[in-house]
Amino acid sequence: MTSLIMKKHIYIYSPSGAVRDKAAFRRGVKRLEKLGHEVEVDEAALASHMRFAGDDATRLASIHRAAASGADVALISRGGYGLTRILPGIHYKAVAKAIDKGMLFVGISDFTAFQNAVYAKTGAITWAGPALCEGFGVGGRAALEPGQTQAPALLPDDIMEACFDDLLSGQGEGAGWRQHRETGGDTTNLIAASAHPASARGTFGLKKATLWGGNLSVLCSMLGTPYFPEVKGGLLFLEDIAEHPYRLERMLTQLLHSGVLARQKAVILGQFTDYKLVPHDRGFKLQSVIDWLRLQVKVPVLTNLPYGHVATKVLLPVGAPCDLMVEGRDALLFWGND
């Protein structure tokens, strides 16, 4: 796929974990350049200190260099861990000033800490999307198909790249998806109907609700801090990786008992991947958690948002007012219709 948008200045920096897969990093840079962009790599992007991309001062400085770079996009190299420990040192006014001038801060996973802190402190909007290595640095080859002598090389996901292009060109206005098919009745529609009398057939709309959230583990780690946004009437989206369903339920319980879930207009579940069920579960699985959650809250709980630690992902504006439209299994988020 070839990008048809004008060249953009993309700044690559590493505010979280150290980049161990240097090949993926190089592939990501080359891919962005092939798409026609100017790529600037932060001086400490490949730094390493224990499991981090440099010590705390180094990673803080990289954030501030990104904000001062004048780039169109500040894209993290990878997630991992490290942002929550440096939140007090971030110059939030400088970040918000860069955003006000048009800079797009994009990232995933551990970046949830930065995004929600920025919103809590300044109200500025950042973007949940790919990181350089996992999004644009895809490598290797696909599985060999019958009749093939050589499998095709793996490339970044077309939908993800199209959404990224839409963001850079200013064309991104929303995202649509189809929820999982429910078994044993359409629980989503029943809950939605009880919360919204006009949606008895599973058709309802929510207007101008703040979209926020991200990685569930990171978000829960921010509860009770000044970096956790106090969002009322929001659309809370969540995803996670390598967390068993019982751990997901435990974290959702924390959001429930703290009152966060009750203050939302909807909970939107993304992709929860790379966990392993065990015999001790005796049938307890992710759907069990979803069914339990729907019994705890009086708002719609949607599923299968194409966002998380997966190849195919949309980009989402964290902190932006959005409209949500649901008709049966089909859901649409709009943020570009001011």
Side-chain angles (χ1 to χ4, degrees):
M1 138 176 214
T2 301
S3 174
L4 299 178
I5 67 172
M6 62 185 297
K7 180 171 73 172
K8 297 293 184 179
H9 176 190
I10 300 178
Y11 193 92
I12 307 298
Y13 67 115
S14 301
S16 299
V19 176
R20 304 299 187 204
D21 191 345
K22 304 296 195 301
F25 186 95
R26 292 190 295 269
R27 285 193 299 266
V29 170
K30 289 181 180 179
R31 181 65 177 178
L32 290 171
E33 290 174 339
K34 185 176 181 180
L35 293 174
H37 304 302
E38 174 193 348
V39 179
E40 181 180 358
V41 176
D42 182 75
E43 63 186 57
L46 295 176
S48 180
H49 173 71
M50 294 189 287
R51 66 179 297 115
F52 308 106
D55 60 19
D56 290 353
T58 297
R59 288 179 292 111
L60 274 171
S62 74
I63 293 173
H64 300 145
R65 283 192 297 270
S69 68
D72 299 296
V73 178
L75 178 66
I76 64 169
S77 63
R78 57 156 299 185
Y81 167 66
L83 268 163
T84 50
R85 58 189 279 164
I86 62 174
L87 292 180
I90 295 175
H91 300 162
Y92 291 99
K93 289 184 179 179
V95 172
K97 183 177 180 180
I99 293 172
D100 189 55
K101 290 182 177 180
M103 183 176 291
L104 303 167
F105 282 84
V106 181
I108 190 173
S109 193
D110 193 52
F111 199 60
T112 295
F114 175 87
Q115 295 182 296
N116 285 277
V118 167
Y119 182 68
K121 290 294 187 180
T122 71
I125 296 169
T126 57
W127 288 83
L132 177 74
C133 294
E134 61 86 34
F136 297 98
V138 175
R141 293 190 175 275
L144 198 65
E145 299 290 340
Q148 288 184 326
T149 57
Q150 185 177 29
L154 291 173
L155 295 173
D157 184 77
D158 283 350
I159 292 176
M160 181 277 292
E161 284 196 339
C163 291
F164 190 73
D165 276 1
D166 285 345
L167 173 62
L168 299 193
S169 63
Q171 299 301 310
E173 297 184 342
W177 74 98
R178 173 157 284 198
Q179 300 180 75
H180 289 308
R181 186 181 299 278
E182 302 294 335
T183 57
D186 194 338
T187 313
T188 302
N189 292 343
L190 293 175
I191 296 295
S194 66
H196 305 275
S199 62
R201 294 184 179 179
T203 299
F204 64 93
L206 302 171
K207 297 288 187 179
K208 299 301 179 186
T210 300
L211 182 67
W212 72 294
N215 182 267
L216 177 59
S217 299
V218 175
L219 199 64
C220 281
S221 75
M222 301 173 73
L223 268 172
T225 74
Y227 310 106
F228 189 90
E230 295 295 329
V231 179
K232 295 182 179 180
L235 304 175
L236 174 61
F237 74 95
L238 301 167
E239 62 82 25
D240 220 318
I241 183 172
E243 295 289 353
H244 189 285
Y246 85 82
R247 294 176 179 170
L248 298 174
E249 184 176 293
R250 183 166 57 197
M251 289 184 281
L252 288 168
T253 301
Q254 187 177 7
L255 294 178
L256 175 69
H257 294 334
S258 64
V260 172
L261 298 184
R263 293 194 292 268
Q264 308 311 308
K265 288 185 177 180
V267 178
I268 306 174
L269 301 178
Q271 305 302 305
F272 297 86
T273 56
D274 292 2
Y275 59 85
K276 184 179 180 180
L277 299 177
V278 297
H280 181 68
D281 292 318
R282 296 289 183 92
F284 183 85
K285 55 188 177 181
L286 182 58
Q287 187 61 47
S288 307
V289 177
I290 296 170
D291 293 341
W292 167 84
L293 180 60
R294 286 172 172 156
L295 293 174
Q296 310 305 312
V297 297
K298 297 180 179 180
V299 299
V301 176
L302 281 65
T303 61
N304 204 35
L305 173 72
Y307 180 76
H309 289 74
V310 290
T312 301
K313 63 171 68 69
V314 295
L315 277 77
L316 302 169
V318 177
C322 295
D323 297 343
L324 173 66
M325 301 295 296
V326 176
E327 184 173 350
R329 291 171 59 199
D330 295 324
L332 286 170
L333 268 173
F334 300 97
W335 54 80
N337 56 345
D338 293 335

